[in-house]
Amino acid sequence: MNNLKNLWENYNLGTVLLNSTKISLFVVLFSIVVSSMAGYGFEIYASRSRNRVYSALLLTMMIPFAALMVPLFRLMYFFNLIDSHWGVILPMIPSVFLTFFFRQSFKQYPKEIIMAARVDGANELRIFFSIVLPSMKSAYAAAAIYAFMTSWNAYLWPLVIIQSEQNKTIVLLISSIASGYTPDFGVVMMAVVIATLPMLIVFFALQKQFVQGVLGSVKQ
């Protein structure tokens, strides 16, 4: 309890947790919407260059993030987003892996349902949000877990962008405590436990949907 009290009073734990939660929730929300619409478009709409563009997109996964940091930092500086949470959130929204994941999930979706909805006069956005999305809950749950864990554990990009103490995330706080000359390992371990709890809660709450989503099942 002394370690928790020390962490709360001396390291502004409440604000740090709020920052990490805010960043993770926005990343999860925007990332699964953008990636699912991209995956849906790649799978449903045929064109000559679709597979070429998709292959080029997958090739970008081979580019290490370290090679992108300088251009991203210059871009965030241009938009005056240095030392802001949006400077952390925006570059984390597009996810090639989630786009790939959603396209693979949409391969299992019955195309006849989409064709029938088009015949009935539904527009494409209504088909996606009212018909396709509700029946793909398992895939969205799996994607949400992945996006949450990725954003919650993010270290390098927040370290580059965030400069003030009041905007730090829990991962940056743990790093700063542990890298001191005389680190209090009790406080460090308490911070690690607290940082791990949200991921465990999210995973176990969506465990069944996660397994179904990874297996590519579609709930009808």
Side-chain angles (χ1 to χ4, degrees):
M1 292 303 296
N2 290 333
N3 291 327
L4 179 60
K5 182 179 179 181
N6 186 14
L7 186 62
W8 186 271
E9 293 178 351
N10 298 330
Y11 295 99
N12 207 9
L13 179 63
T15 301
V16 170
L17 286 175
L18 186 62
N19 293 340
S20 291
T21 303
K22 172 187 172 182
I23 291 172
S24 297
L25 290 180
F26 275 110
V27 169
V28 169
L29 176 62
F30 290 117
S31 185
I32 62 176
V33 171
V34 171
S35 299
S36 63
M37 294 183 74
Y40 178 82
F42 277 120
E43 178 58 27
I44 301 301
Y45 303 112
S47 67
R48 287 184 177 180
S49 58
R50 178 182 65 175
N51 290 331
R52 294 178 183 176
V53 174
Y54 185 67
S55 298
L57 187 67
L58 293 181
L59 284 174
T60 62
M61 296 179 67
M62 300 175 63
I63 303 175
F65 182 74
L68 302 175
M69 281 195 303
V70 173
L72 278 176
F73 184 86
R74 290 176 63 87
L75 187 64
M76 294 301 107
Y77 179 81
F78 177 79
F79 288 107
N80 197 27
L81 293 176
I82 302 298
D83 194 27
S84 70
H85 291 157
W86 284 109
V88 178
I89 294 169
L90 291 177
M92 297 180 68
I93 291 176
S95 173
V96 178
F97 173 78
L98 287 183
T99 301
F100 166 79
F101 172 78
F102 275 112
R103 187 184 183 186
Q104 295 302 115
S105 298
F106 287 130
K107 287 181 182 295
Q108 309 294 326
Y109 193 84
K111 307 302 187 296
E112 295 80 6
I113 297 177
I114 299 175
M115 297 301 296
R118 289 172 178 170
V119 171
D120 288 340
N123 60 46
E124 297 300 321
L125 286 178
R126 184 175 181 184
I127 293 173
F128 180 78
F129 287 104
S130 300
I131 299 174
V132 177
L133 191 151
S135 61
M136 299 285 291
K137 293 179 180 178
S138 298
Y140 277 88
I145 292 176
Y146 172 83
F148 180 82
M149 290 186 173
T150 301
S151 57
W152 185 269
N153 289 324
Y155 172 72
L156 185 57
W157 181 241
L159 180 66
V160 172
I161 288 295
I162 295 177
Q163 300 173 354
S164 59
E165 293 292 328
Q166 64 268 21
N167 288 329
K168 276 188 175 182
T169 63
I170 184 66
V171 175
L172 295 183
L173 176 65
I174 295 173
S175 175
S176 63
I177 297 174
S179 60
Y181 288 107
T182 56
D184 188 337
F185 290 105
V187 174
V188 173
M189 291 299 103
M190 178 59 67
V192 170
V193 170
I194 294 173
T196 306
L197 286 177
M199 291 187 293
L200 293 177
I201 293 171
V202 170
F203 178 78
F204 285 115
L206 301 174
Q207 183 179 15
K208 181 179 179 181
Q209 291 84 352
F210 176 78
V211 174
Q212 291 176 351
V214 170
L215 293 176
S217 63
V218 179
K219 184 178 180 181
Q220 300 292 338

